[in-house]
Amino acid sequence: MLLRVERQCGATAYFMATDVEMITGPGRGIQEVRFGCKRCLYRPARVVPFEVDRDRLPRIMIYRPFRMGSGGPIMWALRRFRG
């Protein structure tokens, strides 16, 4: 399952729902998560969950988490969606 985050400034970003749940914890709702944006400065975003058809994968870039160093902060990097 993917999450499409539509911000007020017009920017759209895609995240894997499992990655967001891993970072924020399983008890939070999707609408409670704050997705940052440099243009609109954390204003509320519209979050739309959707399923992906494995036979027709979309050509999109998604944000995936990674950790800088052994104990560093978690950062998000753009990666090509491969299903």
Coordinates of all heavy atoms in Angstrom, one line a residue:
M1 N 0.8 -1.2 0.0 CA 0.0 0.0 0.0 C 0.9 1.2 0.0 O 1.9 1.3 0.7 CB -0.9 0.0 1.2 CG -1.8 1.2 1.3 SD -3.0 1.2 2.6 CE -4.1 0.0 2.1
L2 N 0.5 2.2 -0.8 CA 1.2 3.5 -0.9 C 0.4 4.6 -0.3 O -0.8 4.5 -0.2 CB 1.6 3.8 -2.3 CG 2.6 2.9 -3.0 CD1 2.8 3.3 -4.4 CD2 3.9 2.9 -2.3
L3 N 1.1 5.7 0.1 CA 0.4 6.9 0.6 C 0.8 8.0 -0.4 O 1.9 8.2 -0.7 CB 0.8 7.3 2.0 CG 0.6 6.2 3.1 CD1 1.2 6.8 4.4 CD2 -0.9 6.0 3.2
R4 N -0.2 8.7 -0.9 CA 0.0 9.9 -1.7 C -0.3 11.1 -0.8 O -1.4 11.2 -0.3 CB -0.9 9.9 -3.0 CG -0.6 11.1 -3.8 CD -1.4 11.1 -5.1 NE -2.8 11.1 -4.9 CZ -3.7 10.2 -5.4 NH1 -3.2 9.2 -6.2 NH2 -5.0 10.2 -5.1
V5 N 0.7 11.9 -0.7 CA 0.6 13.1 0.2 C 0.5 14.3 -0.7 O 1.4 14.6 -1.5 CB 1.8 13.2 1.2 CG1 1.6 14.5 2.0 CG2 1.9 12.0 2.0
E6 N -0.7 15.0 -0.7 CA -0.9 16.2 -1.5 C -0.9 17.4 -0.6 O -1.7 17.5 0.3 CB -2.3 16.0 -2.2 CG -2.4 14.8 -3.1 CD -3.8 14.6 -3.6 OE1 -4.7 15.2 -3.1 OE2 -3.9 13.7 -4.5
R7 N 0.1 18.2 -0.9 CA 0.3 19.4 0.0 C -0.4 20.6 -0.6 O -0.8 20.6 -1.8 CB 1.8 19.7 0.1 CG 2.5 18.5 0.8 CD 3.9 18.9 1.0 NE 4.6 17.7 1.7 CZ 5.4 16.9 1.0 NH1 5.6 17.1 -0.2 NH2 6.0 15.9 1.7
Q8 N -0.6 21.6 0.3 CA -1.4 22.8 -0.2 C -0.6 23.6 -1.2 O -1.2 24.3 -2.0 CB -1.7 23.7 1.0 CG -2.7 23.1 2.0 CD -3.0 24.0 3.1 OE1 -2.4 25.0 3.3 NE2 -3.9 23.5 4.0
C9 N 0.7 23.5 -1.3 CA 1.5 24.2 -2.2 C 1.4 23.6 -3.6 O 2.0 24.1 -4.6 CB 2.9 24.4 -1.8 SG 3.8 22.8 -1.6
G10 N 0.8 22.4 -3.8 CA 0.7 21.7 -5.0 C 1.7 20.6 -5.2 O 1.6 19.8 -6.1
A11 N 2.6 20.4 -4.3 CA 3.6 19.3 -4.3 C 2.9 18.0 -3.9 O 2.0 18.0 -3.1 CB 4.8 19.6 -3.4
T12 N 3.3 16.9 -4.6 CA 2.8 15.6 -4.3 C 4.0 14.7 -4.0 O 5.0 14.7 -4.7 CB 2.0 15.0 -5.4 OG1 1.0 15.9 -5.7 CG2 1.5 13.7 -5.1
A13 N 3.9 13.9 -2.9 CA 4.9 12.9 -2.6 C 4.3 11.6 -2.3 O 3.2 11.5 -1.9 CB 5.7 13.4 -1.4
Y14 N 5.1 10.5 -2.5 CA 4.6 9.1 -2.3 C 5.5 8.5 -1.3 O 6.7 8.6 -1.3 CB 4.7 8.3 -3.6 CG 3.7 8.8 -4.7 CD1 4.2 9.8 -5.6 CD2 2.4 8.4 -4.7 CE1 3.3 10.3 -6.6 CE2 1.6 8.9 -5.7 CZ 2.0 9.8 -6.6 OH 1.2 10.3 -7.6
F15 N 4.8 7.7 -0.4 CA 5.5 6.9 0.7 C 4.9 5.6 0.7 O 3.7 5.4 0.4 CB 5.3 7.6 2.1 CG 5.9 9.0 2.2 CD1 5.1 10.1 1.8 CD2 7.1 9.2 2.7 CE1 5.6 11.4 1.9 CE2 7.7 10.5 2.8 CZ 6.9 11.6 2.4
M16 N 5.7 4.6 1.2 CA 5.2 3.3 1.5 C 4.5 3.3 2.9 O 5.1 3.8 3.8 CB 6.2 2.2 1.4 CG 6.8 2.0 0.0 SD 7.8 0.6 -0.2 CE 6.6 -0.7 -0.1
A17 N 3.3 2.8 3.0 CA 2.6 2.8 4.3 C 3.4 2.1 5.4 O 3.4 2.5 6.5 CB 1.2 2.2 4.1
T18 N 4.1 1.0 5.0 CA 4.8 0.3 6.0 C 6.0 1.1 6.6 O 6.3 1.0 7.7 CB 5.3 -1.1 5.5 OG1 6.1 -0.8 4.3 CG2 4.2 -2.0 5.2
D19 N 6.6 1.9 5.7 CA 7.7 2.7 6.1 C 7.3 3.8 7.1 O 7.9 4.1 8.1 CB 8.4 3.4 5.0 CG 9.2 2.4 4.1 OD1 9.5 1.3 4.6 OD2 9.4 2.7 2.9
V20 N 6.1 4.4 6.8 CA 5.6 5.5 7.7 C 5.2 4.9 9.0 O 5.5 5.5 10.1 CB 4.4 6.2 7.0 CG1 3.8 7.2 7.9 CG2 4.9 6.9 5.7
E21 N 4.6 3.7 9.0 CA 4.2 3.1 10.2 C 5.4 2.7 11.1 O 5.4 2.8 12.3 CB 3.3 1.8 9.9 CG 2.9 1.1 11.2 CD 2.1 -0.2 10.9 OE1 2.3 -0.7 9.8 OE2 1.4 -0.6 11.7
M22 N 6.5 2.2 10.4 CA 7.7 1.8 11.1 C 8.3 3.1 11.9 O 8.8 2.9 13.0 CB 8.7 1.3 10.2 CG 10.0 0.9 10.8 SD 11.2 0.2 9.6 CE 11.5 1.7 8.6
I23 N 8.3 4.2 11.2 CA 8.8 5.4 11.8 C 8.0 6.0 12.9 O 8.4 6.4 14.0 CB 9.1 6.5 10.7 CG1 10.1 5.9 9.7 CG2 9.7 7.8 11.3 CD1 11.4 5.5 10.2
T24 N 6.7 6.1 12.6 CA 5.8 6.8 13.6 C 5.2 5.9 14.6 O 4.7 6.4 15.6 CB 4.6 7.4 12.8 OG1 3.9 6.4 12.1 CG2 5.1 8.5 11.8
G25 N 5.1 4.6 14.4 CA 4.5 3.7 15.4 C 3.2 3.3 14.9 O 2.5 4.0 14.2
P26 N 2.7 2.1 15.3 CA 1.5 1.5 14.7 C 0.2 2.1 15.3 O -0.8 1.9 14.7 CB 1.6 0.0 15.1 CG 2.5 0.0 16.3 CD 3.5 1.1 16.2
G27 N 0.3 2.9 16.4 CA -1.0 3.4 17.0 C -1.5 4.7 16.4 O -2.6 5.1 16.7
R28 N -0.7 5.4 15.6 CA -1.1 6.7 15.0 C -1.9 6.5 13.7 O -1.6 5.6 12.9 CB 0.1 7.5 14.7 CG 0.8 8.0 16.0 CD 2.0 8.8 15.6 NE 1.6 10.1 15.2 CZ 2.4 11.1 15.0 NH1 3.7 10.9 15.0 NH2 2.0 12.3 14.6
G29 N -2.9 7.4 13.5 CA -3.6 7.4 12.3 C -2.9 8.1 11.2 O -2.0 8.9 11.5
I30 N -3.3 7.9 10.0 CA -2.6 8.5 8.8 C -2.7 10.0 8.9 O -1.7 10.7 8.6 CB -3.1 7.9 7.5 CG1 -2.8 6.4 7.4 CG2 -2.6 8.7 6.3 CD1 -3.5 5.8 6.2
Q31 N -3.8 10.5 9.2 CA -4.0 12.0 9.2 C -3.3 12.7 10.3 O -3.1 13.9 10.3 CB -5.5 12.3 9.3 CG -6.4 11.7 8.2 CD -5.9 12.3 6.8 OE1 -5.4 13.4 6.7 NE2 -6.1 11.5 5.8
E32 N -2.8 11.9 11.4 CA -2.1 12.5 12.5 C -0.6 12.8 12.1 O 0.1 13.5 12.8 CB -2.2 11.7 13.7 CG -3.6 11.5 14.3 CD -3.6 10.5 15.4 OE1 -2.6 10.2 15.9 OE2 -4.7 10.1 15.7
V33 N -0.1 12.1 11.1 CA 1.3 12.2 10.8 C 1.6 13.5 10.0 O 0.8 13.9 9.1 CB 1.8 11.0 9.9 CG1 3.2 11.2 9.5 CG2 1.5 9.7 10.6
R34 N 2.6 14.3 10.5 CA 2.9 15.6 9.8 C 4.0 15.3 8.8 O 5.1 14.8 9.0 CB 3.4 16.5 10.9 CG 2.3 17.0 11.8 CD 2.8 17.9 12.9 NE 3.5 19.0 12.2 CZ 4.2 19.9 12.9 NH1 4.4 19.8 14.2 NH2 4.7 21.0 12.3
F35 N 3.7 15.6 7.5 CA 4.6 15.5 6.4 C 5.1 16.9 6.1 O 4.4 17.8 5.8 CB 3.9 14.9 5.2 CG 3.5 13.5 5.4 CD1 2.2 13.2 5.8 CD2 4.4 12.5 5.1 CE1 1.8 11.8 6.0 CE2 4.0 11.1 5.3 CZ 2.7 10.8 5.7
G36 N 6.4 17.1 6.2 CA 7.0 18.4 6.0 C 7.2 18.8 4.6 O 7.3 17.9 3.7
C37 N 7.2 20.1 4.4 CA 7.4 20.6 3.0 C 8.1 22.0 3.2 O 7.7 22.8 4.1 CB 6.1 20.8 2.3 SG 6.2 21.5 0.7
K38 N 9.1 22.3 2.4 CA 9.8 23.5 2.6 C 9.0 24.7 2.1 O 9.1 25.8 2.5 CB 11.1 23.5 1.8 CG 12.1 22.6 2.4 CD 13.4 22.5 1.6 CE 14.4 21.5 2.3 NZ 15.6 21.4 1.5
R39 N 8.1 24.4 1.1 CA 7.3 25.5 0.6 C 6.1 25.9 1.5 O 5.8 27.1 1.6 CB 6.8 25.1 -0.8 CG 7.8 25.2 -1.8 CD 7.3 25.0 -3.2 NE 7.6 23.7 -3.7 CZ 7.0 23.1 -4.7 NH1 6.0 23.6 -5.3 NH2 7.4 21.9 -5.1
C40 N 5.3 24.9 2.0 CA 4.1 25.3 2.8 C 4.3 25.1 4.3 O 3.4 25.3 5.0 CB 2.9 24.5 2.3 SG 3.1 22.7 2.2
L41 N 5.5 24.7 4.7 CA 5.9 24.7 6.1 C 4.9 24.0 7.1 O 4.3 24.6 7.9 CB 6.1 26.2 6.6 CG 7.2 27.0 5.9 CD1 7.1 28.4 6.3 CD2 8.5 26.4 6.1
Y42 N 4.8 22.7 6.8 CA 4.0 21.8 7.7 C 2.5 22.2 7.8 O 1.9 21.9 8.8 CB 4.6 21.8 9.1 CG 6.0 21.1 9.2 CD1 7.1 21.8 9.2 CD2 6.0 19.7 9.2 CE1 8.4 21.1 9.2 CE2 7.2 19.0 9.2 CZ 8.4 19.7 9.2 OH 9.6 19.1 9.2
R43 N 2.0 22.8 6.9 CA 0.5 23.0 6.9 C -0.1 21.6 6.7 O 0.5 20.7 6.1 CB 0.1 23.9 5.8 CG 0.5 25.3 6.1 CD -0.1 26.3 5.1 NE 0.4 27.6 5.3 CZ 0.9 28.4 4.4 NH1 0.9 28.1 3.1 NH2 1.4 29.6 4.7
P44 N -1.4 21.4 7.1 CA -2.0 20.1 6.9 C -2.0 19.6 5.5 O -2.3 20.4 4.5 CB -3.4 20.3 7.4 CG -3.3 21.5 8.3 CD -2.2 22.4 7.7
A45 N -1.7 18.4 5.3 CA -1.7 17.8 3.9 C -2.8 16.8 3.8 O -3.3 16.2 4.8 CB -0.3 17.1 3.7
R46 N -3.2 16.5 2.6 CA -4.2 15.5 2.3 C -3.5 14.2 2.0 O -2.6 14.1 1.1 CB -5.0 15.9 1.1 CG -6.1 15.0 0.7 CD -7.0 15.5 -0.3 NE -7.9 14.5 -0.8 CZ -8.1 14.1 -2.0 NH1 -7.4 14.6 -3.0 NH2 -9.0 13.2 -2.3
V47 N -3.8 13.2 2.8 CA -3.1 11.9 2.7 C -4.1 10.9 2.1 O -5.2 10.7 2.7 CB -2.5 11.4 4.0 CG1 -1.8 10.1 3.9 CG2 -1.6 12.4 4.6
V48 N -3.7 10.3 1.0 CA -4.6 9.3 0.3 C -3.9 8.0 0.2 O -3.0 7.8 -0.5 CB -5.0 9.8 -1.1 CG1 -5.9 8.9 -1.8 CG2 -5.6 11.2 -1.0
P49 N -4.4 7.0 0.9 CA -3.9 5.6 0.8 C -4.4 4.9 -0.5 O -5.6 5.1 -0.8 CB -4.3 4.9 2.1 CG -5.5 5.6 2.5 CD -5.4 7.0 2.0
F50 N -3.6 4.2 -1.2 CA -4.1 3.4 -2.3 C -3.3 2.2 -2.5 O -2.1 2.1 -2.2 CB -4.2 4.3 -3.6 CG -2.8 4.7 -4.1 CD1 -2.2 4.1 -5.1 CD2 -2.2 5.9 -3.5 CE1 -1.0 4.5 -5.6 CE2 -1.0 6.3 -4.0 CZ -0.3 5.6 -5.0
E51 N -3.9 1.2 -3.1 CA -3.3 -0.1 -3.4 C -2.7 0.0 -4.8 O -3.2 0.7 -5.7 CB -4.3 -1.2 -3.4 CG -4.8 -1.7 -2.1 CD -3.7 -2.5 -1.3 OE1 -3.0 -3.2 -2.0 OE2 -3.7 -2.4 -0.1
V52 N -1.6 -0.8 -5.0 CA -0.9 -0.8 -6.3 C -1.2 -2.1 -7.0 O -1.1 -3.2 -6.4 CB 0.6 -0.6 -6.1 CG1 1.3 -0.7 -7.4 CG2 0.9 0.7 -5.4
D53 N -1.6 -2.1 -8.2 CA -1.7 -3.3 -9.0 C -0.4 -3.8 -9.4 O 0.4 -3.1 -10.1 CB -2.6 -3.0 -10.3 CG -2.9 -4.2 -11.1 OD1 -2.6 -5.3 -10.7 OD2 -3.4 -4.1 -12.2
R54 N 0.0 -5.0 -9.0 CA 1.3 -5.6 -9.2 C 1.6 -5.8 -10.7 O 2.7 -5.8 -11.1 CB 1.5 -6.9 -8.5 CG 1.4 -6.8 -7.0 CD 2.7 -6.3 -6.5 NE 2.7 -6.2 -5.0 CZ 3.6 -5.7 -4.3 NH1 4.7 -5.3 -4.9 NH2 3.5 -5.7 -3.0
D55 N 0.6 -6.0 -11.5 CA 0.8 -6.2 -13.0 C 1.0 -4.9 -13.7 O 1.6 -4.9 -14.8 CB -0.5 -6.8 -13.6 CG -0.7 -8.2 -13.1 OD1 0.3 -8.9 -12.7 OD2 -1.8 -8.7 -13.0
R56 N 0.6 -3.8 -13.2 CA 0.8 -2.4 -13.8 C 1.4 -1.5 -12.8 O 0.7 -0.6 -12.2 CB -0.6 -1.9 -14.3 CG -1.2 -2.8 -15.3 CD -2.5 -2.2 -15.8 NE -3.2 -3.2 -16.6 CZ -4.5 -3.3 -16.7 NH1 -5.3 -2.6 -16.0 NH2 -5.0 -4.2 -17.5
L57 N 2.6 -1.6 -12.5 CA 3.3 -0.7 -11.6 C 3.4 0.7 -12.1 O 3.8 0.9 -13.2 CB 4.7 -1.3 -11.2 CG 4.7 -2.6 -10.5 CD1 6.2 -3.1 -10.3 CD2 4.0 -2.5 -9.1
P58 N 3.1 1.7 -11.3 CA 3.2 3.1 -11.7 C 4.7 3.5 -11.8 O 5.5 2.9 -11.0 CB 2.5 3.8 -10.6 CG 2.5 3.0 -9.4 CD 2.5 1.6 -9.9
R59 N 5.0 4.4 -12.6 CA 6.4 4.9 -12.7 C 6.4 6.2 -11.8 O 6.3 7.3 -12.3 CB 6.7 5.3 -14.2 CG 6.8 4.0 -15.0 CD 7.3 4.4 -16.4 NE 7.4 3.2 -17.1 CZ 8.2 3.0 -18.1 NH1 9.0 4.0 -18.4 NH2 8.3 1.9 -18.7
I60 N 6.7 5.9 -10.6 CA 6.7 7.0 -9.6 C 8.0 6.9 -8.8 O 8.6 5.8 -8.7 CB 5.5 7.1 -8.7 CG1 5.3 5.8 -7.9 CG2 4.3 7.4 -9.5 CD1 4.2 5.8 -6.9
M61 N 8.3 8.0 -8.1 CA 9.4 8.0 -7.2 C 8.8 8.1 -5.8 O 7.9 8.9 -5.6 CB 10.3 9.2 -7.4 CG 11.0 9.3 -8.8 SD 12.2 8.0 -9.1 CE 13.5 8.6 -8.1
I62 N 9.3 7.2 -4.9 CA 8.8 7.2 -3.5 C 9.9 7.6 -2.5 O 11.1 7.4 -2.8 CB 8.2 5.9 -3.1 CG1 9.2 4.8 -3.2 CG2 7.0 5.6 -4.0 CD1 8.7 3.5 -2.7
Y63 N 9.5 8.1 -1.4 CA 10.5 8.4 -0.3 C 10.7 7.1 0.5 O 9.7 6.5 1.0 CB 10.0 9.5 0.5 CG 10.2 10.9 -0.1 CD1 9.2 11.4 -0.8 CD2 11.4 11.5 -0.1 CE1 9.3 12.7 -1.5 CE2 11.6 12.7 -0.7 CZ 10.5 13.3 -1.4 OH 10.7 14.5 -2.0
R64 N 11.9 6.7 0.8 CA 12.2 5.6 1.6 C 13.2 6.0 2.7 O 14.0 6.9 2.5 CB 13.0 4.5 0.8 CG 12.2 3.9 -0.3 CD 10.9 3.1 0.1 NE 11.1 2.1 1.1 CZ 11.2 0.8 1.0 NH1 11.2 0.3 -0.2 NH2 11.4 0.0 2.0
P65 N 13.0 5.5 4.0 CA 13.9 5.9 5.1 C 15.2 5.3 5.0 O 15.4 4.1 4.6 CB 13.1 5.5 6.3 CG 12.3 4.3 5.8 CD 12.0 4.6 4.4
F66 N 16.2 6.0 5.5 CA 17.5 5.4 5.8 C 18.2 6.1 6.9 O 17.8 7.2 7.2 CB 18.4 5.4 4.5 CG 18.9 6.8 4.1 CD1 20.2 7.2 4.5 CD2 18.1 7.7 3.4 CE1 20.6 8.5 4.2 CE2 18.5 8.9 3.1 CZ 19.8 9.4 3.5
R67 N 19.1 5.5 7.6 CA 19.8 6.1 8.7 C 21.2 6.5 8.4 O 22.0 5.7 7.8 CB 19.8 5.0 9.9 CG 20.3 5.6 11.2 CD 20.2 4.7 12.3 NE 18.8 4.3 12.6 CZ 18.0 5.0 13.4 NH1 18.4 6.1 14.0 NH2 16.8 4.6 13.6
M68 N 21.5 7.7 8.8 CA 22.9 8.2 8.6 C 23.8 7.7 9.6 O 23.6 8.1 10.8 CB 22.9 9.8 8.6 CG 22.1 10.4 7.5 SD 22.9 10.2 5.9 CE 24.3 11.2 6.0
G69 N 24.7 6.8 9.3 CA 25.7 6.3 10.3 C 25.0 5.2 11.2 O 23.9 4.8 10.9
S70 N 25.6 4.8 12.2 CA 25.1 3.8 13.1 C 24.0 4.3 14.0 O 23.1 3.5 14.4 CB 26.2 3.1 13.9 OG 26.9 4.1 14.7
G71 N 24.1 5.5 14.5 CA 23.1 6.0 15.4 C 22.6 7.4 15.0 O 22.0 8.1 15.8
G72 N 22.7 7.7 13.8 CA 22.3 9.0 13.3 C 20.8 9.1 13.1 O 20.1 8.2 13.3
P73 N 20.4 10.3 12.6 CA 19.0 10.5 12.4 C 18.4 9.8 11.2 O 19.2 9.4 10.3 CB 18.9 12.0 12.2 CG 20.2 12.4 11.6 CD 21.2 11.5 12.3
I74 N 17.2 9.5 11.2 CA 16.5 8.9 10.0 C 16.2 10.0 9.0 O 15.6 11.0 9.3 CB 15.2 8.2 10.5 CG1 15.6 7.1 11.4 CG2 14.5 7.7 9.3 CD1 14.4 6.4 12.0
M75 N 16.7 9.7 7.8 CA 16.5 10.7 6.7 C 15.6 10.0 5.6 O 15.5 8.7 5.7 CB 17.8 11.0 6.0 CG 18.8 11.6 7.0 SD 18.4 13.1 7.7 CE 18.7 14.2 6.3
W76 N 15.0 10.7 4.7 CA 14.2 10.2 3.7 C 14.8 10.5 2.3 O 15.2 11.6 2.1 CB 12.8 10.8 3.7 CG 12.0 10.4 4.9 CD1 12.1 11.0 6.1 CD2 11.1 9.3 5.1 NE1 11.2 10.4 7.0 CE2 10.6 9.3 6.4 CE3 10.7 8.3 4.2 CZ2 9.7 8.4 6.9 CZ3 9.8 7.4 4.7 CH2 9.3 7.4 6.0
A77 N 14.9 9.5 1.5 CA 15.5 9.6 0.2 C 14.6 9.1 -0.9 O 13.8 8.2 -0.7 CB 16.8 8.8 0.1
L78 N 14.6 9.8 -2.1 CA 13.8 9.4 -3.2 C 14.4 8.1 -3.9 O 15.6 8.1 -4.1 CB 13.7 10.5 -4.2 CG 12.7 11.5 -4.0 CD1 12.8 12.7 -5.0 CD2 11.3 10.9 -4.1
R79 N 13.5 7.2 -4.1 CA 13.9 6.0 -4.8 C 12.8 5.6 -5.8 O 11.7 6.0 -5.7 CB 14.0 4.8 -3.9 CG 15.0 5.0 -2.7 CD 16.3 4.6 -3.1 NE 17.2 4.6 -2.0 CZ 18.2 5.4 -1.9 NH1 18.6 6.3 -2.8 NH2 19.0 5.4 -0.8
R80 N 13.2 4.9 -6.9 CA 12.2 4.5 -7.9 C 11.4 3.4 -7.3 O 11.9 2.5 -6.7 CB 13.0 4.0 -9.1 CG 12.0 3.6 -10.3 CD 12.8 3.0 -11.3 NE 12.8 3.4 -12.7 CZ 12.3 4.5 -13.3 NH1 11.7 5.4 -12.6 NH2 12.4 4.7 -14.5
F81 N 10.1 3.5 -7.5 CA 9.2 2.4 -7.0 C 9.3 1.2 -7.8 O 9.2 1.2 -9.0 CB 7.8 2.9 -7.0 CG 6.8 1.9 -6.5 CD1 6.8 1.5 -5.2 CD2 5.8 1.4 -7.3 CE1 5.9 0.5 -4.7 CE2 4.9 0.4 -6.9 CZ 5.0 0.0 -5.6
R82 N 9.6 0.1 -7.2 CA 9.8 -1.2 -7.9 C 8.8 -2.3 -7.4 O 8.9 -3.4 -7.8 CB 11.2 -1.7 -7.7 CG 12.3 -0.7 -8.1 CD 13.5 -1.4 -8.7 NE 14.5 -0.4 -9.0 CZ 14.7 0.1 -10.1 NH1 13.9 -0.1 -11.1 NH2 15.7 1.0 -10.3
G83 N 7.9 -1.9 -6.6 CA 6.9 -2.9 -6.1 C 7.4 -3.8 -5.1 O 7.0 -4.6 -4.5

